[in-house]
Amino acid sequence: MPDGLDFADPDVHQRDDIRAIWREMREHGEIAWQEPCGERSGFWVIARYAQAIEVLRDSEGFASSGGNVLDTAARQGDSAAGYMAPVTDGTGHRALRRVLARLLSPSMLGHARLSVESTARDLIDDGVDTAVVDLGATAAVLPVAAICGLLGVPVSDRARVLGLARSVLAVPQEQTFPADPRIARAELIQYLAALVSRRKHDRGDDGISILLDSSIQGRPMTDHQIVMNCYSLIFGGIETTRLTITTGLHAMIERPDVWQRVMSGDADLDLAVEEMLRWGSAAMHLARTATAERQIGGQTIFPGEIVSVWNVSANFDEREIAHPERFDIDRTPNRHIAFGNGAHFCPGAAFARMEIATFLRQVRHSIAGIELAGAPRVIRSTFLGGVDALPVRFTRKGAHE
Ligand code: HEM
């Protein structure tokens, strides 16, 4: 690992040479130890695909309950451990997964598809009338509407939910949401708690009603469990989907031949979506805490040590992915780990794929051309990666089909 580099510093992930740094670390093959810094403990850094899979599939040896991102795992831990799926292990986690599977079932997905389609239609058709559009802001509305629709969050509250979620993720924004992620998190949790309380007396066909009627290991879900898992859906599903759309579209704009193939209907949209997921690797890393001694990449990892797995590097590992630096919308197979791997594999994967494909289909339907209207801005975060702001100018198709 290059001297003086701190992978827990968001600025490191904005460096122009970050891809070269990852390539060198993969080449080297040994996992690297990041020294402690202030209140942040030290942690292992994993860059290779095979080693990433080894950790993610070994939930006996690598626990999530200490926090599944560095911000929590290497600092104070996660207060939602044992309640919220991403930071729960073992039988409790398996029970939560069964509930999440009901919430994100094919029938709920089918239901959501209709509202995602109409949101995408409104977004693109409204956006194309404006001279310059920030695609990052446009794409943000889709996943918020989708998840809020799934959970039954009223339309009038959705901008607030998005603002709070972005504050939790430390995404800079102009609006008046608390800048401190801890305050924003508390506010979002409070909002969800009030919504759950209201829904108790007013059940519907929404996700919160499903959770209210669900049990974990024979006991009805508690309010706290419901609130924390709604929070996890919002946290897990909004920014990741938006960044995948924005980063993928940016890659296409930079490659007019690719853009042309996608827009003409010549390309397989499902394969294009997979490549957007790999290319964007929106969840840049995942964290685990070792619970047993393990040997990985020539190093011994001891119980209690924190391990960070970098999807953003693993998805570009030339040992697994042919010509990884090529944005190849025909790539098959495409075994990226943008959705993770093992017990915590993203349960919203089908939902996210549907949203991204719907957005692309709507762009194809309404837009004749697109060009950059300013410099794209990369998100400043250690967890989230990709293009945050993407100013573009659209040319609308002459007439709607
Ligand atoms: C492109 C969009 C998305 C990406 C890149 C993404 C990525 C991920 C990754 C990498 C994990 C694994 C976390 C870990 O192993 O610690 C995960 C878990 C999770 N995701 Fe997603 N996700 C996306 C969209 C969604 C959506 C749309 C939803 C909800 C509808 C969602 C809900 C969740 C939940 C609840 C978990 C925790 C699962 C568990 O711990 O068992 N995600 N996601």
Side-chain angles (χ1 to χ4, degrees):
M1 178 158 68
D3 279 349
L5 209 63
D6 183 355
F7 284 101
D9 173 0
D11 290 336
V12 165
H13 304 283
Q14 295 200 314
R15 286 170 58 140
D16 291 339
D17 59 347
I18 184 67
R19 287 199 171 192
I21 292 172
W22 284 126
R23 200 178 312 121
E24 203 178 300
M25 289 188 59
R26 290 193 298 270
E27 197 65 32
H28 195 244
E30 261 189 15
I31 69 171
W33 177 249
Q34 179 83 62
E35 291 296 334
C37 176
E39 288 180 0
R40 196 239 328 116
S41 58
F43 57 90
W44 292 102
V45 177
I46 294 196
R48 277 197 183 179
Y49 182 98
Q51 292 163 350
I53 295 275
E54 212 177 322
V55 171
L56 296 178
R57 288 196 181 156
D58 180 4
S59 41
E60 293 286 310
F62 296 101
S64 293
S65 46
N68 75 327
V69 294
L70 281 174
D71 265 357
T72 46
R75 294 182 200 272
Q76 75 282 10
D78 198 311
S79 57
Y83 296 101
M84 193 166 83
V87 287
T88 301
D89 296 302
T91 50
H93 177 247
R94 285 190 285 280
L96 279 171
R97 290 289 296 203
R98 283 192 286 276
V99 173
L100 285 173
R102 279 184 65 206
L103 190 67
L104 296 164
S105 68
S107 78
M108 292 296 276
L109 189 75
H111 201 63
R113 188 188 306 271
L114 297 175
S115 90
V116 168
E117 280 168 356
S118 83
T119 309
R121 205 163 37 238
D122 292 349
L123 271 177
I124 308 284
D125 286 355
D126 284 353
V128 289
D129 286 335
T130 321
V132 175
V133 178
D134 174 10
L135 251 183
T138 305
V141 180
L142 192 75
V144 175
I147 293 189
C148 288
L150 181 81
L151 295 177
V153 173
V155 174
S156 54
D157 293 347
R158 292 182 186 177
R160 180 171 170 214
V161 169
L162 173 66
L164 290 173
R166 296 179 91 182
S167 290
V168 175
L169 291 160
V171 178
Q173 49 187 341
E174 285 149 22
Q175 295 160 34
T176 50
F177 293 102
D180 184 334
R182 284 165 305 183
I183 298 176
R185 176 181 159 122
E187 231 178 82
L188 188 51
I189 288 171
Q190 216 173 18
Y191 169 79
L192 290 169
L195 189 63
V196 169
S197 276
R198 287 209 304 275
R199 198 50 43 81
K200 276 186 184 166
H201 313 289
D202 180 22
R203 293 279 216 285
D205 56 2
D206 55 88
I208 292 184
S209 298
I210 291 183
L211 295 175
L212 280 164
D213 293 329
S214 295
S215 302
I216 297 281
Q217 294 169 301
R219 293 206 189 108
M221 281 184 87
T222 62
D223 284 11
H224 190 57
Q225 278 172 325
I226 295 175
V227 166
M228 292 320 293
N229 284 287
C230 291
Y231 172 85
S232 147
L233 289 166
I234 290 171
F235 182 74
I238 290 182
E239 282 293 280
T240 44
T241 308
R242 172 182 87 92
L243 289 164
T244 303
I245 292 175
T246 322
T247 312
L249 282 176
H250 178 231
M252 289 182 199
I253 295 169
E254 283 189 314
R255 296 164 180 78
D257 54 321
V258 174
W259 173 265
Q260 204 45 46
R261 286 195 52 224
V262 174
M263 292 303 131
S264 65
D266 180 30
D268 181 325
L269 219 58
D270 292 339
L271 294 185
V273 169
E274 290 314 304
E275 186 65 345
M276 288 167 80
L277 285 158
R278 181 189 77 88
W279 191 257
S281 297
M284 282 200 298
H285 81 263
L286 300 168
R288 300 290 188 260
T289 307
T291 51
E293 194 173 304
R294 291 286 190 265
Q295 300 285 330
I296 293 191
Q299 299 282 357
T300 304
I301 299 173
F302 293 100
E305 286 180 347
I306 290 156
V307 176
S308 62
V309 165
W310 292 84
N311 295 345
V312 72
S313 171
N315 282 336
F316 287 79
D317 190 336
E318 31 296 277
R319 285 149 211 81
E320 297 294 330
I321 316 262
H323 308 294
E325 295 296 338
R326 195 180 289 164
F327 181 72
D328 178 1
I329 54 165
D330 302 315
R331 188 180 291 284
T332 176
N334 192 341
R335 285 188 289 262
H336 64 76
I337 53 166
F339 288 123
N341 201 274
H344 292 269
F345 178 83
C346 177
F351 203 86
R353 287 177 170 126
M354 178 273 287
E355 291 178 73
I356 300 164
T358 303
F359 194 88
L360 278 187
R361 237 179 256 118
Q362 192 56 44
V363 171
R364 188 165 76 190
H365 179 79
S366 304
I367 304 294
I370 192 169
E371 59 177 18
L372 277 184
R377 189 184 65 218
V378 172
I379 196 162
R380 187 177 179 280
S381 163
T382 49
F383 173 59
L384 291 170
V387 176
D388 176 31
L390 185 64
V392 296
R393 205 172 279 112
F394 286 128
T395 321
R396 184 201 277 272
K397 277 191 179 164
H400 289 287
E401 291 143 42

